[in-house]
Amino acid sequence: MLAIKGESQQVIRFGFSMWTPEGSHCGVTGTATPSQAGWTHTSGSEAGADLCVLTLSRMGDGYRVSAAPGTCASACGARATIDGVTFPPTSQVQNAVSGRLFEPETLFNTDCSMLEQFAGE
């Protein structure tokens, strides 16, 4: 799941949650700033294992989420990685979502079929 709010040439707020076929989870929430590739989110310490550099880029009418090599391990469980996850236009729901969805506890535990409850809040 990828939720984006306030998409513009400025800062965006986003939430990303993914489950691998093996049952591992990767999840990142925060803000991203414009970059040459789209928008970039950086969190954690540059020297620490918690460093996460995530790029959100447009692909036609869809999106792609990628982590810089060797980063975002602390955002994933059991050796999972964020390696070019794509969200094609057919997967998009064009509803305004509330800020509550961007809270990690809410986002990481929300099934895509439950998104309607966050529309228009």
Side-chain angles (χ1 to χ4, degrees):
M1 180 184 329
L2 176 63
I4 298 174
K5 187 169 186 153
E7 181 181 342
S8 68
Q9 298 302 318
Q10 303 302 316
V11 173
I12 61 170
R13 190 171 184 188
F14 77 96
F16 169 76
S17 181
M18 159 188 105
W19 289 92
T20 68
E22 295 79 26
S24 297
H25 180 259
C26 293
V28 180
T29 63
T31 58
T33 56
S35 66
Q36 192 171 23
W39 297 271
T40 300
H41 164 81
T42 303
S43 59
S45 97
E46 289 187 30
D50 63 339
L51 176 64
C52 186
V53 179
L54 204 66
T55 301
L56 291 81
S57 29
R58 297 279 287 167
M59 294 181 53
D61 290 335
Y63 290 90
R64 179 180 176 94
V65 179
S66 300
T71 71
C72 301
S74 63
C76 297
R79 297 181 303 273
T81 59
I82 303 168
D83 186 22
V85 180
T86 59
F87 296 88
T90 55
S91 70
Q92 296 177 21
V93 176
Q94 300 296 325
N95 290 336
V97 294
S98 72
R100 198 166 47 106
L101 181 63
F102 296 97
E103 297 168 6
E105 183 67 26
T106 302
L107 180 73
F108 301 161
N109 292 301
T110 298
D111 182 281
C112 291
S113 66
M114 298 170 56
L115 288 178
E116 292 295 322
Q117 70 183 350
F118 296 99
E121 285 185 350

PDB file of all heavy atoms in Angstrom, residues 20-56:
ATOM      1  N   THR A  20       5.758  -9.336   2.087  1.00  0.00           N
ATOM      2  CA  THR A  20       6.366 -10.228   1.097  1.00  0.00           C
ATOM      3  C   THR A  20       5.605 -11.552   1.081  1.00  0.00           C
ATOM      4  O   THR A  20       4.883 -11.875   2.045  1.00  0.00           O
ATOM      5  CB  THR A  20       7.839 -10.514   1.424  1.00  0.00           C
ATOM      6  OG1 THR A  20       7.897 -11.302   2.628  1.00  0.00           O
ATOM      7  CG2 THR A  20       8.632  -9.220   1.601  1.00  0.00           C
ATOM      8  N   PRO A  21       5.774 -12.349   0.034  1.00  0.00           N
ATOM      9  CA  PRO A  21       5.139 -13.670  -0.006  1.00  0.00           C
ATOM     10  C   PRO A  21       5.561 -14.563   1.162  1.00  0.00           C
ATOM     11  O   PRO A  21       4.833 -15.461   1.561  1.00  0.00           O
ATOM     12  CB  PRO A  21       5.597 -14.255  -1.339  1.00  0.00           C
ATOM     13  CG  PRO A  21       5.912 -13.074  -2.185  1.00  0.00           C
ATOM     14  CD  PRO A  21       6.439 -12.035  -1.228  1.00  0.00           C
ATOM     15  N   GLU A  22       6.747 -14.300   1.720  1.00  0.00           N
ATOM     16  CA  GLU A  22       7.243 -15.093   2.855  1.00  0.00           C
ATOM     17  C   GLU A  22       6.677 -14.623   4.191  1.00  0.00           C
ATOM     18  O   GLU A  22       6.942 -15.217   5.226  1.00  0.00           O
ATOM     19  CB  GLU A  22       8.780 -15.032   2.920  1.00  0.00           C
ATOM     20  CG  GLU A  22       9.465 -15.664   1.736  1.00  0.00           C
ATOM     21  CD  GLU A  22       9.475 -14.774   0.490  1.00  0.00           C
ATOM     22  OE1 GLU A  22       9.403 -13.524   0.626  1.00  0.00           O
ATOM     23  OE2 GLU A  22       9.505 -15.324  -0.619  1.00  0.00           O
ATOM     24  N   GLY A  23       5.907 -13.528   4.177  1.00  0.00           N
ATOM     25  CA  GLY A  23       5.278 -13.041   5.403  1.00  0.00           C
ATOM     26  C   GLY A  23       6.054 -11.969   6.139  1.00  0.00           C
ATOM     27  O   GLY A  23       5.704 -11.605   7.257  1.00  0.00           O
ATOM     28  N   SER A  24       7.116 -11.407   5.534  1.00  0.00           N
ATOM     29  CA  SER A  24       7.857 -10.309   6.154  1.00  0.00           C
ATOM     30  C   SER A  24       7.214  -8.986   5.776  1.00  0.00           C
ATOM     31  O   SER A  24       6.639  -8.844   4.702  1.00  0.00           O
ATOM     32  CB  SER A  24       9.309 -10.317   5.674  1.00  0.00           C
ATOM     33  OG  SER A  24       9.956 -11.499   6.062  1.00  0.00           O
ATOM     34  N   HIS A  25       7.339  -8.014   6.645  1.00  0.00           N
ATOM     35  CA  HIS A  25       6.734  -6.705   6.422  1.00  0.00           C
ATOM     36  C   HIS A  25       7.806  -5.637   6.276  1.00  0.00           C
ATOM     37  O   HIS A  25       8.819  -5.659   6.969  1.00  0.00           O
ATOM     38  CB  HIS A  25       5.829  -6.335   7.606  1.00  0.00           C
ATOM     39  CG  HIS A  25       5.180  -4.998   7.453  1.00  0.00           C
ATOM     40  ND1 HIS A  25       5.647  -3.876   8.095  1.00  0.00           N
ATOM     41  CD2 HIS A  25       4.123  -4.602   6.708  1.00  0.00           C
ATOM     42  CE1 HIS A  25       4.881  -2.849   7.764  1.00  0.00           C
ATOM     43  NE2 HIS A  25       3.953  -3.264   6.921  1.00  0.00           N
ATOM     44  N   CYS A  26       7.588  -4.673   5.385  1.00  0.00           N
ATOM     45  CA  CYS A  26       8.376  -3.450   5.284  1.00  0.00           C
ATOM     46  C   CYS A  26       7.401  -2.293   5.405  1.00  0.00           C
ATOM     47  O   CYS A  26       6.345  -2.304   4.765  1.00  0.00           O
ATOM     48  CB  CYS A  26       9.091  -3.341   3.936  1.00  0.00           C
ATOM     49  SG  CYS A  26      10.372  -4.568   3.658  1.00  0.00           S
ATOM     50  N   GLY A  27       7.745  -1.308   6.203  1.00  0.00           N
ATOM     51  CA  GLY A  27       6.870  -0.159   6.363  1.00  0.00           C
ATOM     52  C   GLY A  27       7.642   1.101   6.680  1.00  0.00           C
ATOM     53  O   GLY A  27       8.540   1.083   7.516  1.00  0.00           O
ATOM     54  N   VAL A  28       7.296   2.176   5.992  1.00  0.00           N
ATOM     55  CA  VAL A  28       7.932   3.478   6.206  1.00  0.00           C
ATOM     56  C   VAL A  28       6.846   4.546   6.090  1.00  0.00           C
ATOM     57  O   VAL A  28       6.027   4.505   5.177  1.00  0.00           O
ATOM     58  CB  VAL A  28       9.030   3.763   5.151  1.00  0.00           C
ATOM     59  CG1 VAL A  28       9.684   5.116   5.393  1.00  0.00           C
ATOM     60  CG2 VAL A  28      10.074   2.655   5.121  1.00  0.00           C
ATOM     61  N   THR A  29       6.851   5.496   7.013  1.00  0.00           N
ATOM     62  CA  THR A  29       5.971   6.655   6.919  1.00  0.00           C
ATOM     63  C   THR A  29       6.818   7.897   7.144  1.00  0.00           C
ATOM     64  O   THR A  29       7.877   7.832   7.772  1.00  0.00           O
ATOM     65  CB  THR A  29       4.841   6.626   7.964  1.00  0.00           C
ATOM     66  OG1 THR A  29       5.416   6.680   9.267  1.00  0.00           O
ATOM     67  CG2 THR A  29       3.975   5.397   7.824  1.00  0.00           C
ATOM     68  N   GLY A  30       6.360   9.002   6.619  1.00  0.00           N
ATOM     69  CA  GLY A  30       7.098  10.244   6.835  1.00  0.00           C
ATOM     70  C   GLY A  30       6.827  11.244   5.751  1.00  0.00           C
ATOM     71  O   GLY A  30       5.774  11.225   5.109  1.00  0.00           O
ATOM     72  N   THR A  31       7.795  12.103   5.528  1.00  0.00           N
ATOM     73  CA  THR A  31       7.696  13.105   4.481  1.00  0.00           C
ATOM     74  C   THR A  31       8.818  12.885   3.475  1.00  0.00           C
ATOM     75  O   THR A  31       9.842  12.275   3.797  1.00  0.00           O
ATOM     76  CB  THR A  31       7.796  14.534   5.054  1.00  0.00           C
ATOM     77  OG1 THR A  31       9.034  14.674   5.742  1.00  0.00           O
ATOM     78  CG2 THR A  31       6.634  14.832   5.978  1.00  0.00           C
ATOM     79  N   ALA A  32       8.599  13.375   2.261  1.00  0.00           N
ATOM     80  CA  ALA A  32       9.604  13.284   1.214  1.00  0.00           C
ATOM     81  C   ALA A  32       9.685  14.629   0.508  1.00  0.00           C
ATOM     82  O   ALA A  32       8.679  15.319   0.357  1.00  0.00           O
ATOM     83  CB  ALA A  32       9.247  12.173   0.231  1.00  0.00           C
ATOM     84  N   THR A  33      10.877  14.986   0.095  1.00  0.00           N
ATOM     85  CA  THR A  33      11.101  16.251  -0.591  1.00  0.00           C
ATOM     86  C   THR A  33      11.440  16.003  -2.058  1.00  0.00           C
ATOM     87  O   THR A  33      11.929  14.922  -2.405  1.00  0.00           O
ATOM     88  CB  THR A  33      12.249  17.037   0.081  1.00  0.00           C
ATOM     89  OG1 THR A  33      13.420  16.213   0.104  1.00  0.00           O
ATOM     90  CG2 THR A  33      11.882  17.441   1.506  1.00  0.00           C
ATOM     91  N   PRO A  34      11.185  16.988  -2.909  1.00  0.00           N
ATOM     92  CA  PRO A  34      11.475  16.816  -4.329  1.00  0.00           C
ATOM     93  C   PRO A  34      12.947  16.490  -4.576  1.00  0.00           C
ATOM     94  O   PRO A  34      13.834  17.019  -3.904  1.00  0.00           O
ATOM     95  CB  PRO A  34      11.121  18.175  -4.933  1.00  0.00           C
ATOM     96  CG  PRO A  34      10.171  18.796  -3.979  1.00  0.00           C
ATOM     97  CD  PRO A  34      10.595  18.299  -2.627  1.00  0.00           C
ATOM     98  N   SER A  35      13.176  15.592  -5.514  1.00  0.00           N
ATOM     99  CA  SER A  35      14.532  15.233  -5.921  1.00  0.00           C
ATOM    100  C   SER A  35      14.509  14.993  -7.426  1.00  0.00           C
ATOM    101  O   SER A  35      13.451  14.985  -8.054  1.00  0.00           O
ATOM    102  CB  SER A  35      15.009  13.988  -5.182  1.00  0.00           C
ATOM    103  OG  SER A  35      14.245  12.860  -5.572  1.00  0.00           O
ATOM    104  N   GLN A  36      15.665  14.760  -7.984  1.00  0.00           N
ATOM    105  CA  GLN A  36      15.745  14.538  -9.426  1.00  0.00           C
ATOM    106  C   GLN A  36      14.927  13.318  -9.852  1.00  0.00           C
ATOM    107  O   GLN A  36      14.334  13.297 -10.915  1.00  0.00           O
ATOM    108  CB  GLN A  36      17.205  14.354  -9.829  1.00  0.00           C
ATOM    109  CG  GLN A  36      17.415  14.402 -11.317  1.00  0.00           C
ATOM    110  CD  GLN A  36      18.887  14.434 -11.663  1.00  0.00           C
ATOM    111  OE1 GLN A  36      19.736  14.012 -10.889  1.00  0.00           O
ATOM    112  NE2 GLN A  36      19.185  14.947 -12.840  1.00  0.00           N
ATOM    113  N   ALA A  37      14.856  12.307  -8.992  1.00  0.00           N
ATOM    114  CA  ALA A  37      14.130  11.071  -9.318  1.00  0.00           C
ATOM    115  C   ALA A  37      12.647  11.130  -8.978  1.00  0.00           C
ATOM    116  O   ALA A  37      11.899  10.235  -9.328  1.00  0.00           O
ATOM    117  CB  ALA A  37      14.775   9.897  -8.589  1.00  0.00           C
ATOM    118  N   GLY A  38      12.210  12.141  -8.269  1.00  0.00           N
ATOM    119  CA  GLY A  38      10.814  12.235  -7.827  1.00  0.00           C
ATOM    120  C   GLY A  38      10.763  12.912  -6.477  1.00  0.00           C
ATOM    121  O   GLY A  38      10.868  14.115  -6.359  1.00  0.00           O
ATOM    122  N   TRP A  39      10.633  12.114  -5.422  1.00  0.00           N
ATOM    123  CA  TRP A  39      10.683  12.592  -4.040  1.00  0.00           C
ATOM    124  C   TRP A  39      11.572  11.645  -3.252  1.00  0.00           C
ATOM    125  O   TRP A  39      11.562  10.435  -3.465  1.00  0.00           O
ATOM    126  CB  TRP A  39       9.290  12.607  -3.398  1.00  0.00           C
ATOM    127  CG  TRP A  39       8.344  13.538  -4.051  1.00  0.00           C
ATOM    128  CD1 TRP A  39       8.151  14.864  -3.756  1.00  0.00           C
ATOM    129  CD2 TRP A  39       7.447  13.236  -5.115  1.00  0.00           C
ATOM    130  NE1 TRP A  39       7.186  15.385  -4.579  1.00  0.00           N
ATOM    131  CE2 TRP A  39       6.743  14.404  -5.433  1.00  0.00           C
ATOM    132  CE3 TRP A  39       7.185  12.071  -5.847  1.00  0.00           C
ATOM    133  CZ2 TRP A  39       5.788  14.458  -6.422  1.00  0.00           C
ATOM    134  CZ3 TRP A  39       6.236  12.116  -6.847  1.00  0.00           C
ATOM    135  CH2 TRP A  39       5.544  13.299  -7.126  1.00  0.00           C
ATOM    136  N   THR A  40      12.327  12.195  -2.299  1.00  0.00           N
ATOM    137  CA  THR A  40      13.228  11.377  -1.488  1.00  0.00           C
ATOM    138  C   THR A  40      12.927  11.573  -0.013  1.00  0.00           C
ATOM    139  O   THR A  40      12.756  12.701   0.453  1.00  0.00           O
ATOM    140  CB  THR A  40      14.703  11.729  -1.780  1.00  0.00           C
ATOM    141  OG1 THR A  40      14.954  11.495  -3.162  1.00  0.00           O
ATOM    142  CG2 THR A  40      15.641  10.869  -0.958  1.00  0.00           C
ATOM    143  N   HIS A  41      12.878  10.452   0.700  1.00  0.00           N
ATOM    144  CA  HIS A  41      12.681  10.432   2.146  1.00  0.00           C
ATOM    145  C   HIS A  41      13.971   9.905   2.770  1.00  0.00           C
ATOM    146  O   HIS A  41      14.498   8.872   2.337  1.00  0.00           O
ATOM    147  CB  HIS A  41      11.527   9.491   2.507  1.00  0.00           C
ATOM    148  CG  HIS A  41      11.504   9.113   3.948  1.00  0.00           C
ATOM    149  ND1 HIS A  41      10.984   9.924   4.922  1.00  0.00           N
ATOM    150  CD2 HIS A  41      11.956   8.001   4.580  1.00  0.00           C
ATOM    151  CE1 HIS A  41      11.094   9.326   6.096  1.00  0.00           C
ATOM    152  NE2 HIS A  41      11.680   8.163   5.909  1.00  0.00           N
ATOM    153  N   THR A  42      14.477  10.602   3.764  1.00  0.00           N
ATOM    154  CA  THR A  42      15.658  10.143   4.489  1.00  0.00           C
ATOM    155  C   THR A  42      15.343  10.182   5.973  1.00  0.00           C
ATOM    156  O   THR A  42      14.849  11.185   6.485  1.00  0.00           O
ATOM    157  CB  THR A  42      16.889  11.030   4.195  1.00  0.00           C
ATOM    158  OG1 THR A  42      17.118  11.048   2.793  1.00  0.00           O
ATOM    159  CG2 THR A  42      18.125  10.500   4.905  1.00  0.00           C
ATOM    160  N   SER A  43      15.609   9.073   6.664  1.00  0.00           N
ATOM    161  CA  SER A  43      15.426   9.030   8.115  1.00  0.00           C
ATOM    162  C   SER A  43      16.533   8.177   8.715  1.00  0.00           C
ATOM    163  O   SER A  43      17.200   7.415   8.030  1.00  0.00           O
ATOM    164  CB  SER A  43      14.048   8.467   8.482  1.00  0.00           C
ATOM    165  OG  SER A  43      13.893   7.167   7.974  1.00  0.00           O
ATOM    166  N   GLY A  44      16.694   8.308  10.020  1.00  0.00           N
ATOM    167  CA  GLY A  44      17.740   7.569  10.716  1.00  0.00           C
ATOM    168  C   GLY A  44      19.065   8.305  10.651  1.00  0.00           C
ATOM    169  O   GLY A  44      19.180   9.375  10.075  1.00  0.00           O
ATOM    170  N   SER A  45      20.085   7.701  11.241  1.00  0.00           N
ATOM    171  CA  SER A  45      21.387   8.361  11.274  1.00  0.00           C
ATOM    172  C   SER A  45      22.257   7.853  10.127  1.00  0.00           C
ATOM    173  O   SER A  45      22.219   6.676   9.768  1.00  0.00           O
ATOM    174  CB  SER A  45      22.055   8.135  12.625  1.00  0.00           C
ATOM    175  OG  SER A  45      22.950   7.085  12.588  1.00  0.00           O
ATOM    176  N   GLU A  46      23.025   8.751   9.536  1.00  0.00           N
ATOM    177  CA  GLU A  46      23.856   8.383   8.391  1.00  0.00           C
ATOM    178  C   GLU A  46      24.827   7.265   8.709  1.00  0.00           C
ATOM    179  O   GLU A  46      25.155   6.469   7.839  1.00  0.00           O
ATOM    180  CB  GLU A  46      24.610   9.605   7.875  1.00  0.00           C
ATOM    181  CG  GLU A  46      23.701  10.605   7.188  1.00  0.00           C
ATOM    182  CD  GLU A  46      24.474  11.719   6.533  1.00  0.00           C
ATOM    183  OE1 GLU A  46      25.624  11.488   6.112  1.00  0.00           O
ATOM    184  OE2 GLU A  46      23.918  12.820   6.440  1.00  0.00           O
ATOM    185  N   ALA A  47      25.271   7.191   9.933  1.00  0.00           N
ATOM    186  CA  ALA A  47      26.239   6.160  10.304  1.00  0.00           C
ATOM    187  C   ALA A  47      25.573   4.935  10.930  1.00  0.00           C
ATOM    188  O   ALA A  47      26.234   3.949  11.210  1.00  0.00           O
ATOM    189  CB  ALA A  47      27.261   6.738  11.282  1.00  0.00           C
ATOM    190  N   GLY A  48      24.275   4.994  11.128  1.00  0.00           N
ATOM    191  CA  GLY A  48      23.594   3.919  11.841  1.00  0.00           C
ATOM    192  C   GLY A  48      22.907   2.920  10.938  1.00  0.00           C
ATOM    193  O   GLY A  48      22.654   3.161   9.757  1.00  0.00           O
ATOM    194  N   ALA A  49      22.601   1.779  11.519  1.00  0.00           N
ATOM    195  CA  ALA A  49      21.899   0.719  10.790  1.00  0.00           C
ATOM    196  C   ALA A  49      20.456   1.096  10.516  1.00  0.00           C
ATOM    197  O   ALA A  49      19.791   0.431   9.730  1.00  0.00           O
ATOM    198  CB  ALA A  49      21.959  -0.575  11.586  1.00  0.00           C
ATOM    199  N   ASP A  50      19.965   2.169  11.146  1.00  0.00           N
ATOM    200  CA  ASP A  50      18.579   2.577  10.942  1.00  0.00           C
ATOM    201  C   ASP A  50      18.413   3.555   9.776  1.00  0.00           C
ATOM    202  O   ASP A  50      17.312   4.034   9.521  1.00  0.00           O
ATOM    203  CB  ASP A  50      18.007   3.180  12.226  1.00  0.00           C
ATOM    204  CG  ASP A  50      18.722   4.450  12.661  1.00  0.00           C
ATOM    205  OD1 ASP A  50      19.877   4.673  12.238  1.00  0.00           O
ATOM    206  OD2 ASP A  50      18.137   5.229  13.426  1.00  0.00           O
ATOM    207  N   LEU A  51      19.477   3.843   9.027  1.00  0.00           N
ATOM    208  CA  LEU A  51      19.387   4.761   7.900  1.00  0.00           C
ATOM    209  C   LEU A  51      18.431   4.217   6.848  1.00  0.00           C
ATOM    210  O   LEU A  51      18.502   3.049   6.461  1.00  0.00           O
ATOM    211  CB  LEU A  51      20.768   4.986   7.257  1.00  0.00           C
ATOM    212  CG  LEU A  51      20.777   5.869   6.007  1.00  0.00           C
ATOM    213  CD1 LEU A  51      20.329   7.294   6.344  1.00  0.00           C
ATOM    214  CD2 LEU A  51      22.157   5.883   5.382  1.00  0.00           C
ATOM    215  N   CYS A  52      17.516   5.062   6.393  1.00  0.00           N
ATOM    216  CA  CYS A  52      16.570   4.688   5.343  1.00  0.00           C
ATOM    217  C   CYS A  52      16.493   5.831   4.331  1.00  0.00           C
ATOM    218  O   CYS A  52      16.152   6.957   4.691  1.00  0.00           O
ATOM    219  CB  CYS A  52      15.192   4.403   5.925  1.00  0.00           C
ATOM    220  SG  CYS A  52      14.014   3.778   4.707  1.00  0.00           S
ATOM    221  N   VAL A  53      16.857   5.539   3.096  1.00  0.00           N
ATOM    222  CA  VAL A  53      16.754   6.499   2.005  1.00  0.00           C
ATOM    223  C   VAL A  53      15.821   5.884   0.974  1.00  0.00           C
ATOM    224  O   VAL A  53      16.154   4.894   0.324  1.00  0.00           O
ATOM    225  CB  VAL A  53      18.128   6.817   1.382  1.00  0.00           C
ATOM    226  CG1 VAL A  53      17.971   7.809   0.238  1.00  0.00           C
ATOM    227  CG2 VAL A  53      19.089   7.346   2.438  1.00  0.00           C
ATOM    228  N   LEU A  54      14.647   6.462   0.871  1.00  0.00           N
ATOM    229  CA  LEU A  54      13.591   5.909   0.024  1.00  0.00           C
ATOM    230  C   LEU A  54      13.262   6.911  -1.087  1.00  0.00           C
ATOM    231  O   LEU A  54      13.174   8.103  -0.828  1.00  0.00           O
ATOM    232  CB  LEU A  54      12.354   5.683   0.896  1.00  0.00           C
ATOM    233  CG  LEU A  54      11.335   4.660   0.484  1.00  0.00           C
ATOM    234  CD1 LEU A  54      11.932   3.264   0.537  1.00  0.00           C
ATOM    235  CD2 LEU A  54      10.143   4.726   1.402  1.00  0.00           C
ATOM    236  N   THR A  55      13.099   6.410  -2.303  1.00  0.00           N
ATOM    237  CA  THR A  55      12.721   7.254  -3.427  1.00  0.00           C
ATOM    238  C   THR A  55      11.341   6.863  -3.926  1.00  0.00           C
ATOM    239  O   THR A  55      11.072   5.676  -4.142  1.00  0.00           O
ATOM    240  CB  THR A  55      13.738   7.136  -4.580  1.00  0.00           C
ATOM    241  OG1 THR A  55      15.027   7.520  -4.098  1.00  0.00           O
ATOM    242  CG2 THR A  55      13.353   8.021  -5.748  1.00  0.00           C
ATOM    243  N   LEU A  56      10.475   7.845  -4.073  1.00  0.00           N
ATOM    244  CA  LEU A  56       9.157   7.653  -4.666  1.00  0.00           C
ATOM    245  C   LEU A  56       9.197   8.348  -6.022  1.00  0.00           C
ATOM    246  O   LEU A  56       9.482   9.546  -6.094  1.00  0.00           O
ATOM    247  CB  LEU A  56       8.070   8.295  -3.806  1.00  0.00           C
ATOM    248  CG  LEU A  56       7.789   7.647  -2.452  1.00  0.00           C
ATOM    249  CD1 LEU A  56       8.790   8.068  -1.410  1.00  0.00           C
ATOM    250  CD2 LEU A  56       6.405   7.995  -2.015  1.00  0.00           C
TER     251      LEU A  56
END
